[in-house]
Amino acid sequence: MPHKRRTHEKPENMKKTMRQLLSYMASYKWGFVIGIVCAVASVSIAVIGPKITGEIITEIANGFMNKVQGIGGIDFDAIKKTCAILLAIYAFSAGMEYAQSFIMATVSNKIGYRLRAQMSEKIDRLPFSYFDSHSRGDVISRFTNDVDTMVQSLNQSLASLVSNIVRIVGYLWMMLSISWQMTLLALLIIPLSLAVVIVITKNSQRFFLAQQNSLGLLNGHIEEMYGAHEIVTAFNGQKKSIEKFEMYNGQLYDSAWRSQFLSGLMQPMTMMI
């Protein structure tokens, strides 16, 4: 029968785990460095865009007022030049963002490919006692779901973390250069947004852990029940098997629904604030 997957999903020594992960990724460090540089370049150049847009609007407003007063008009040549600069800036930013996405996706999936290959080699050396204490669904889940989660984190979270830091610093500098009073007003909502994010993250994290646990149990049950279908049928175990499947499936539905709902609340809540 399937054994319960370990509910203690967090590493016992986070620092040691992170050192091992960084050491494992060392051979791909230049790919990550180039991807991060592209992300920084993309965000840095894009930060300038709103201020240039503001200059275009100011030029139109001043020209309109001059036309009303009969002392001039809108300088369309200056606006065209500024629009060309703005277009070039956003084109360069989009190019850097594409390069960053391509590089990070390539490097992170290479790491996932290498990790699965090494896991496949190691599983052939494991003693039978390991498979007696771990269901096949749990082992398969580690090859698929757990590795995919790590690959997605490397692909999205790392570059997003760096680019968001640069974005915060860049927009803060740009806002201060326009009006420190309006900047101070905007900064007052940051603590409230952080409080909302912390509350949502705390509540959603336990449901994400429960989702992974339920997924391992469900995969293990399906794998073992289909693998031993003749035995289950011979001993009239269909009803018990279906009941257990419905229980695991219900647990997965409940944890997945709650985790996705809470994590989905984060962006609309912060945007509303």
Side-chain angles (χ1 to χ4, degrees), residues 125-145:
R125 302 193 302 268
L126 289 175
F128 285 114
S129 59
Y130 179 85
F131 299 98
D132 291 335
S133 59
H134 294 76
S135 69
R136 282 181 287 181
D138 180 62
V139 176
I140 292 172
S141 180
R142 296 187 185 279
F143 271 86
T144 54
N145 301 308

Side-chain angles (χ1 to χ4, degrees), residues 203-248:
N203 285 279
S204 64
Q205 187 178 24
R206 59 192 179 96
F207 291 120
F208 274 112
L209 293 176
Q211 178 184 351
Q212 290 300 107
N213 182 47
S214 300
L215 189 60
L217 290 172
L218 184 63
N219 286 341
H221 177 71
I222 293 172
E223 176 73 20
E224 292 185 1
M225 290 306 101
Y226 275 99
H229 181 69
E230 294 84 358
I231 299 175
V232 173
T233 304
F235 288 91
N236 296 319
Q238 298 97 320
K239 184 178 179 181
K240 186 177 180 180
S241 175
I242 292 172
E243 289 175 353
K244 188 167 286 189
F245 170 81
E246 290 177 349
M247 181 184 69
Y248 291 152

Side-chain angles (χ1 to χ4, degrees), residues 2-148:
H3 296 265
K4 282 197 69 175
R5 185 176 181 178
R6 292 174 299 174
T7 56
H8 186 72
E9 295 290 337
K10 294 183 178 180
E12 295 179 1
N13 191 331
M14 180 62 75
K15 291 183 179 179
K16 182 180 178 182
T17 303
M18 290 304 298
R19 283 198 300 268
Q20 289 176 337
L21 182 59
L22 291 173
S23 176
Y24 189 82
M25 297 188 305
S27 57
Y28 303 93
K29 61 182 178 181
W30 290 115
F32 283 111
V33 169
I34 295 172
I36 290 172
V37 168
C38 289
V40 171
S42 173
V43 173
S44 300
I45 200 71
V47 166
I48 307 172
K51 189 167 186 179
I52 296 177
T53 305
E55 293 175 359
I56 295 173
I57 296 171
T58 301
E59 184 67 37
I60 294 173
N62 291 337
F64 180 76
M65 292 303 297
N66 291 337
K67 193 170 184 179
V68 170
Q69 296 171 8
I71 57 175
I74 301 173
D75 188 355
F76 286 103
D77 290 334
I79 292 174
K80 286 179 181 177
K81 290 179 182 178
T82 309
C83 286
I85 294 172
L86 186 64
L87 183 62
I89 285 174
Y90 281 124
F92 179 79
S93 176
M96 288 293 99
E97 186 175 1
Y98 173 81
Q100 172 256 315
S101 300
F102 180 81
I103 293 170
M104 295 299 287
T106 301
V107 173
S108 58
N109 279 283
K110 280 184 177 179
I111 291 175
Y113 176 84
R114 178 188 171 197
L115 185 60
R116 286 194 182 94
Q118 292 179 343
M119 289 171 65
S120 179
E121 293 175 0
K122 183 175 181 178
I123 204 170
D124 292 332
R125 302 193 302 268
L126 289 175
F128 285 114
S129 59
Y130 179 85
F131 299 98
D132 291 335
S133 59
H134 294 76
S135 69
R136 282 181 287 181
D138 180 62
V139 176
I140 292 172
S141 180
R142 296 187 185 279
F143 271 86
T144 54
N145 301 308
D146 293 356
V147 176
D148 284 344

Side-chain angles (χ1 to χ4, degrees), residues 158-226:
L158 186 61
S160 297
L161 176 64
V162 175
S163 60
N164 285 335
I165 292 172
V166 176
R167 186 176 285 111
I168 290 171
V169 175
Y171 280 127
L172 184 61
W173 172 77
M174 194 64 64
M175 290 164 67
L176 287 170
S177 68
I178 296 172
S179 171
W180 68 268
Q181 294 93 337
M182 292 181 67
T183 303
L184 182 62
L185 181 63
L187 290 177
L188 290 177
I189 67 171
I190 292 179
L192 183 58
S193 298
L194 286 175
V196 170
V197 169
I198 289 171
V199 170
I200 292 176
T201 303
K202 269 187 177 179
N203 285 279
S204 64
Q205 187 178 24
R206 59 192 179 96
F207 291 120
F208 274 112
L209 293 176
Q211 178 184 351
Q212 290 300 107
N213 182 47
S214 300
L215 189 60
L217 290 172
L218 184 63
N219 286 341
H221 177 71
I222 293 172
E223 176 73 20
E224 292 185 1
M225 290 306 101
Y226 275 99

